[in-house]
């Protein structure tokens, strides 16, 4: 087994050391498989952290992107961008929402959401609007989104934080009702439907319905960060759809472009007209290449029935893990939905990242103790069984011999 210091060696003297990286570089991929520069093959259980929705080098996506690159990569938001309207209309149809703003990443989508919430408050005469956020939440690493994030490690060293956030525990409706009494300036509730970086922790269906009701009763915006759990990963287009609710604001990113950088914030009627000309913008946001990637991703997901695949293959993966890890001491819980699965262990398990890579499997470890699987939505049942066959013995071996 690799020693931890070898795993996190950084043979990149000119790259800022903001990441602890495994000492391997990927050269190419096909479907759910990737190869490193030494020719070693890996089963990709991570998909670039929920990004490669269609796996690697998808035979329908690649020619479409070639076609777009040949036509126009970038124009400018000074002009009409027909592909923006095409993608916005499709996303709104799938989400039951009204309009979209396009940007380039998850944190940017969340920044737009936060600006919408604040301006929504100002438009109502609330000068110091407050936004309800959550313990263990993750919304990004800009100053505003790290302030909304509920993780002291992410915030350490970057104070003063942005004010105007009030924090509650997840899945505790009484806590949010109680908070409402002392905080007349609340304008929005902002949460991940399944907390990703926080350890694959789902909001319950009852809680989501409660929060929708509370927002309606009080005139607050319900803003659901679906950057990680959205885009079909749970077996529905958006994870909140399992609760039969519709948010007022929904940031998206990651899987929307199948690897081409993209972000979007969708708004329903309560929020659709909050931002007007001059209120928000970004040079790259909504460029034709990213928009084409989004349009084609949605088309291919539909054509290939990948929502149903995510649900069915996710069940195979989860059932397999539950079967193989049943009764194993040190496995606390297996949770998640569809192809977003977390396995919580009783102890920190970052070392499993390197051990899994050695065994030919890509995965992630988050919140110190949670092994996280976020494979492409094209994963097959056989590949799911292969993940179980590699991972279950690794977990057992790790729990028996953590060092
Ligand atoms: C729920 C959620 N929101 C926002 C972000 C930030 O996205 P990005 O890294 O694209 O800025 C992430 C990234 O992991 C995320 O999981």
């Amino acid at each position: 087994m690799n020693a931890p210091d070898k795993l996190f060696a950084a043979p990149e003297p000119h790259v800022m050391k903001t990441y602890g990286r495994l000492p391997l570089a990927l050269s190419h991929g096909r479907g759910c498989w990737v190869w490193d520069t030494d020719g070693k093959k890996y089963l990709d259980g991570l998909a670039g952290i929920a990004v490669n929705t269609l796996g690697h080098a998808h035979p329908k996506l690649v020619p479409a992107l070639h076609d777009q690159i040949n036509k126009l990569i970038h124009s400018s938001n000074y002009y009409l961008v027909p592909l923006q309207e095409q993608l916005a209309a499709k996303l709104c149809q799938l989400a039951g929402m009204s309009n979209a703003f396009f940007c380039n990443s998850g944190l940017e989508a969340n920044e737009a959401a936060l600006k919408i919430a604040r301006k929504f408050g100002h438009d109502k005469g609330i000068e110091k609007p407050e936004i309800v956020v959550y313990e263990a939440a993750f919304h990004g690493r800009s100053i505003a989104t790290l302030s909304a994030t509920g993780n002291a490690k992410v915030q350490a060293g970057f104070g003063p934080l942005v004010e105007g956030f009030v924090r509650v525990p997840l899945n505790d409706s009484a806590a949010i009702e109680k908070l409402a009494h002392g905080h007349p300036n609340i304008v929005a509730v902002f949460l991940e439907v399944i907390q990703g970086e926080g350890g694959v922790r789902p909001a319950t269906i009852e809680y989501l319905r409660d929060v929708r009701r509370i927002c309606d009763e009080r005139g607050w915006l319900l803003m659901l960060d679906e950057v990680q759990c959205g885009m079909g990963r749970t077996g529905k287009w958006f994870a909140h759809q399992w609760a039969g609710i519709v948010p007022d604001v929904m940031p998206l990113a990651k899987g929307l472009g199948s690897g081409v950088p993209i972000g979007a914030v969708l708004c329903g009627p309560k929020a659709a007209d909050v931002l007007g000309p001059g209120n928000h913008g970004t040079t790259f946001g909504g460029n034709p290449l990213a928009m084409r990637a989004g349009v084609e991703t949605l088309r291919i997901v539909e054509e290939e029935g990948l929502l149903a695949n995510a649900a069915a293959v996710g069940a195979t993966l989860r059932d397999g893990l539950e079967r193989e890890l049943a009764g194993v001491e040190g496995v606390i819980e297996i949770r998640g939905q569809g192809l977003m699965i977390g396995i919580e262990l009783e102890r920190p398990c970052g070392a499993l990242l390197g051990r899994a890579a050695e065994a030919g499997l890509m995965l992630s470890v988050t919140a110190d103790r949670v092994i996280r699987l976020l494979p492409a939505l094209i994963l097959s049942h056989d590949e799911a069984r292969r993940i179980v066959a590699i991972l279950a013995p690794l977990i057992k071996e790790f729990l028996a011999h953590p060092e």
Side-chain angles (χ1 to χ4, degrees), residues 241-266:
Q241 290 175 330
W242 289 101
I245 59 163
V246 182
D248 301 305
V249 178
M250 176 168 61
L252 298 170
K254 287 192 184 281
L256 175 55
S258 293
V260 177
I262 187 171
V265 61
L266 265 59

Side-chain angles (χ1 to χ4, degrees), residues 173-191:
S173 304
I176 196 167
E177 300 258 27
K178 190 167 158 224
L179 186 79
H181 293 298
H183 290 265
N185 290 343
I186 290 175
V187 292
V189 177
F190 185 35
L191 80 151

